[in-house]
Amino acid sequence: MESGEGLRSRTQALKSIRTKTADKGRLADAKDNSELIEEEPLSPSARLFHEPNFNVYIIAIMGCKTKIHEDVVRANLLHTLLKHPRFSSLQVGDDKGDMKWVRTKVDLDKHLRVPDLNPDMESGDQFVEDYVYNLSKTTIDRSQQPLWDLHLLNVKTSDAEAVGIFRIHHSLGDGTSLISLLLACTRKTSDPSALPTVPVKKKKEKSSSNPLWLSRCFIGLWWICRLFWHTVVDVFMFIATAMFLKDTETPLKGPPGVEFTPRRIVHRTVSLDDIKLVKNAMHMTVNDVALGITQAGLSRYLNRKYGNNLPKSIRLRSTLLINIRTSAGIQAFADMMENDTKAKWGNWIGYVLLPFSIALRDDPLDYIRRAKATIDRKKHSLEALYTFSISEFILKTLGIKRASALSHRIITHTTMCFSNLVGPLEEIGYYGHPMAYLAPSCYGQPHALMINFQSYINKMTIVLSVDEGTIPHPRELCDDIVHSLELIKNAVIAKGLVKECHNTNGTCSENSNSIIT
């Protein structure tokens, strides 16, 4: 593993590589070593992630049920991930200051890290947590190699026999596409030739009623008016946030410069069936429940930090970075790696500002109801599309520095980042290694707190990435979110909203085949 030298090592790695002699030399070396000469310019969003205050890395922690065999992983990487252009290309600057992707031969010894570990270590969980923490102190030199690496830790933890840690620079793609690409490298353990099955959103059934033409026109006009109004309000809030509107200073909000601090990444796994129980009983989605239990957990945590005297009217928002380009999907990525076909790829980043309702509520189900109302309201808006357009306009007219300053200002005026990713429905194996869990996260973002939900089979992993200077005890916050799920599930059962429950954990047989939406 790279030795971390704290902020100094991270800052040094951010220096520009755009020098005439050095760039020409690297460009020539890349062309000499490349099998395919393709110079494609970096997208504006990819360039944004190279700015010093936006140097973000995606971390994907994979727990495996068996020891990881380095030779098997090494052999399979050559036929899968390395066939993707972004994972086998350097990011090289030219004399004009532009950056391009240049294909090159990849030296796996620089990307595959397998440290020698003490098999008798006292705590494998603490070792993995500290390993990721130290990894977040470092960066990858973009002038020498493609910006990714894979760390294989054959250490037993409480929920895995070994752990693999992917680190990928955010300029290579958005989180959803990168996780989909990772899953495209896996196969079902029950059928080693089959790709994972990932749930898709159910299409709403068309109503059998046949309303009058005038009624349909009125409903359609009202829908368009509401969409227009919601979009105007959201764009106004985006501009106000960029200019002056800030979240309340709470124990969750990081100080200036928090993007340069290392991150403590912790996770807890809960039953996805419990979440589905609440989802079906309340006629909502998994995303509604995830946001609801997060609001409840944050409220509990802040109330304790304020000495059981939680202030009213706390403004706490999450900045969601939305890729408005539709992801190609697992099958398309698998075909691309196997047959050298093309698939949609790239960062087209729009912003959505998601308000969290922070309060102590007598009825735990109110957290879920308010979460659903917030999400439904945000779905009926073109906020992501228009904020993307605004950012692109600023980038093209004022340059990357001003666009980076805008993005940084938006994020630092909010409190946290939140996401919910859908995973496979059945057990999968990563190059033949059965996976126990998947925990994605990030470091380098200008937030002190990032919360990710990742589903896998019948489990949901809750992942927190925190700045320890702001949140010194992240496991307490994680416990608050988990406890909030228990309270909400118990409230659903106590109110008789679930008809038949046969299992001891309150999971209903009628919910076992629910689809995540």
Side-chain angles (χ1 to χ4, degrees):
M1 179 179 143
E2 300 171 76
S3 60
E5 297 181 14
L7 301 183
R8 185 172 64 85
S9 65
R10 293 211 36 204
T11 305
Q12 287 178 339
L14 296 171
K15 290 182 178 179
S16 173
I17 64 172
R18 296 193 299 264
T19 59
K20 293 184 179 179
T21 55
D23 284 336
K24 288 179 180 178
R26 273 192 291 270
L27 189 58
D29 291 341
K31 289 182 178 180
D32 290 342
N33 293 326
S34 61
E35 299 175 358
L36 175 65
I37 304 300
E38 277 191 9
E39 294 184 22
E40 180 183 347
L42 268 70
S43 68
S45 296
R47 291 169 56 200
L48 181 67
F49 284 112
H50 280 297
E51 289 301 298
N53 56 8
F54 224 68
N55 193 39
V56 182
Y57 283 83
I58 295 172
I59 294 285
I61 305 172
M62 303 177 296
C64 295
K65 294 183 176 181
T66 62
K67 296 295 182 183
I68 301 176
H69 301 283
E70 177 188 357
D71 55 340
V72 174
V73 173
R74 183 182 292 270
N76 280 277
L77 283 173
L78 294 172
H79 302 292
T80 53
L81 203 62
L82 294 192
K83 288 193 172 184
H84 192 289
R86 294 294 180 264
F87 286 78
S88 55
S89 297
L90 296 175
Q91 300 180 24
V92 179
D94 59 21
D95 295 339
K96 298 180 180 179
D98 297 325
M99 297 186 68
K100 298 180 179 180
W101 300 99
V102 179
R103 292 289 289 268
T104 185
K105 288 184 178 180
V106 177
D107 182 1
L108 271 181
D109 290 334
K110 295 181 179 180
H111 296 269
L112 194 58
R113 310 297 176 88
V114 189
D116 293 327
L117 304 178
N118 177 13
D120 300 321
M121 67 177 61
E122 185 175 346
S123 173
D125 292 276
Q126 190 61 48
F127 174 82
V128 172
E129 186 179 309
D130 291 340
Y131 190 97
V132 176
Y133 177 80
N134 289 323
L135 193 65
S136 72
K137 298 177 181 178
T138 65
T139 60
I140 303 173
D141 184 0
R142 72 170 182 256
S143 66
Q144 301 297 324
Q145 56 186 318
L147 296 180
W148 67 273
D149 53 22
L150 173 59
H151 302 250
L152 305 180
L153 308 180
N154 278 310
V155 53
K156 182 177 175 60
T157 65
S158 59
D159 46 11
E161 292 294 323
V163 175
I165 304 169
F166 257 111
R167 177 171 61 160
I168 306 168
H169 195 266
H170 217 317
S171 62
L172 270 65
D174 66 285
T176 301
S177 296
L178 290 170
I179 294 297
S180 295
L181 180 65
L182 174 61
L183 292 178
C185 297
T186 68
R187 295 294 184 271
K188 298 178 183 179
T189 55
S190 60
D191 183 0
S193 63
L195 288 167
T197 303
V198 176
V200 295
K201 187 175 181 179
K202 289 181 178 179
K203 292 184 178 180
K204 293 183 178 180
E205 296 182 0
K206 292 184 178 180
S207 176
S208 58
S209 60
N210 186 22
L212 296 176
W213 177 84
L214 184 61
S215 177
R216 290 201 302 267
C217 288
F218 177 78
I219 294 173
L221 181 61
W222 176 242
W223 187 92
I224 293 173
C225 289
R226 289 178 64 238
L227 177 68
F228 174 78
W229 174 248
H230 291 165
T231 302
V232 169
V233 171
D234 289 339
V235 171
F236 173 78
M237 292 297 293
F238 173 81
I239 296 173
T241 301
M243 296 178 65
F244 61 87
L245 187 63
K246 298 181 181 179
D247 279 7
T248 306
E249 294 292 335
T250 68
L252 296 174
K253 198 170 187 303
V258 72
E259 61 269 27
F260 300 113
T261 63
R263 297 306 159 100
R264 180 69 62 180
I265 298 178
V266 300
H267 71 271
R268 287 282 302 274
T269 300
V270 298
S271 170
L272 182 58
D273 288 331
D274 287 349
I275 294 177
K276 289 179 179 179
L277 182 148
V278 178
K279 160 190 175 287
N280 290 343
M282 300 289 290
H283 306 288
M284 297 182 181
T285 68
V286 167
N287 206 39
D288 296 334
V289 179
L291 180 60
I293 65 174
T294 301
Q295 288 186 152
L298 295 178
S299 299
R300 288 174 56 86
Y301 179 85
L302 287 174
N303 183 58
R304 188 168 59 251
K305 292 299 179 182
Y306 282 112
N308 295 322
N309 187 24
L310 184 67
K312 296 181 179 180
S313 302
I314 289 179
R315 181 187 295 115
L316 191 154
R317 294 172 295 171
S318 169
T319 303
L320 306 184
L321 300 182
I322 306 295
N323 190 3
I324 63 174
R325 169 183 278 179
T326 305
S327 178
I330 294 175
Q331 183 64 57
F333 291 141
D335 292 341
M336 177 185 63
M337 292 184 289
E338 184 175 351
N339 304 318
D340 291 328
T341 59
K342 293 185 178 182
K344 292 181 181 179
W345 190 266
N347 288 302
W348 287 9
I349 302 297
Y351 300 84
V352 173
L353 302 181
L354 187 68
F356 277 62
S357 177
I358 303 300
L360 298 179
R361 309 199 181 279
D362 295 331
D363 184 358
L365 301 186
D366 283 343
Y367 291 108
I368 307 296
R369 296 186 184 103
R370 286 181 175 268
K372 176 176 174 53
T374 300
I375 291 177
D376 288 348
R377 159 65 179 80
K378 286 293 181 178
K379 286 178 180 177
H380 198 60
S381 171
L382 300 178
E383 179 180 6
L385 179 62
Y386 276 89
T387 54
F388 166 75
S389 301
I390 292 172
S391 301
E392 286 288 288
F393 174 77
I394 292 176
L395 190 149
K396 291 178 180 179
T397 56
L398 301 179
I400 188 68
K401 296 296 182 183
R402 296 291 180 86
S404 172
L406 171 67
S407 299
H408 187 265
R409 192 173 178 86
I410 289 287
I411 294 178
T412 55
H413 282 187
T414 58
T415 301
M416 58 175 286
C417 187
F418 175 87
S419 73
N420 177 28
L421 297 175
V422 180
L425 290 173
E426 62 283 291
E427 184 181 76
I428 59 174
Y430 181 70
Y431 301 146
H433 303 89
M435 192 178 295
Y437 69 87
L438 176 62
S441 193
C442 287
Y443 71 85
Q445 65 274 15
H447 279 143
L449 172 63
M450 182 176 190
I451 300 178
N452 299 87
F453 282 71
Q454 174 69 60
S455 67
Y456 176 50
I457 318 178
N458 60 349
K459 298 178 288 187
M460 178 72 84
T461 301
I462 305 170
V463 191
L464 271 61
S465 172
V466 308
D467 164 47
E468 282 191 306
T470 306
I471 305 172
H473 305 292
R475 293 192 181 278
E476 289 184 5
L477 178 54
C478 214
D479 290 341
D480 285 331
I481 297 174
V482 173
H483 184 63
S484 296
L485 173 60
E486 287 295 317
L487 290 176
I488 291 171
K489 183 192 75 171
N490 292 337
V492 164
I493 297 173
K495 290 178 180 290
L497 299 177
V498 181
K499 295 180 180 179
E500 285 184 46
C501 290
H502 303 291
N503 300 329
T504 56
N505 66 351
T507 302
C508 299
S509 57
E510 64 182 22
N511 296 331
S512 59
N513 296 320
S514 299
I515 298 295
I516 301 174
T517 57

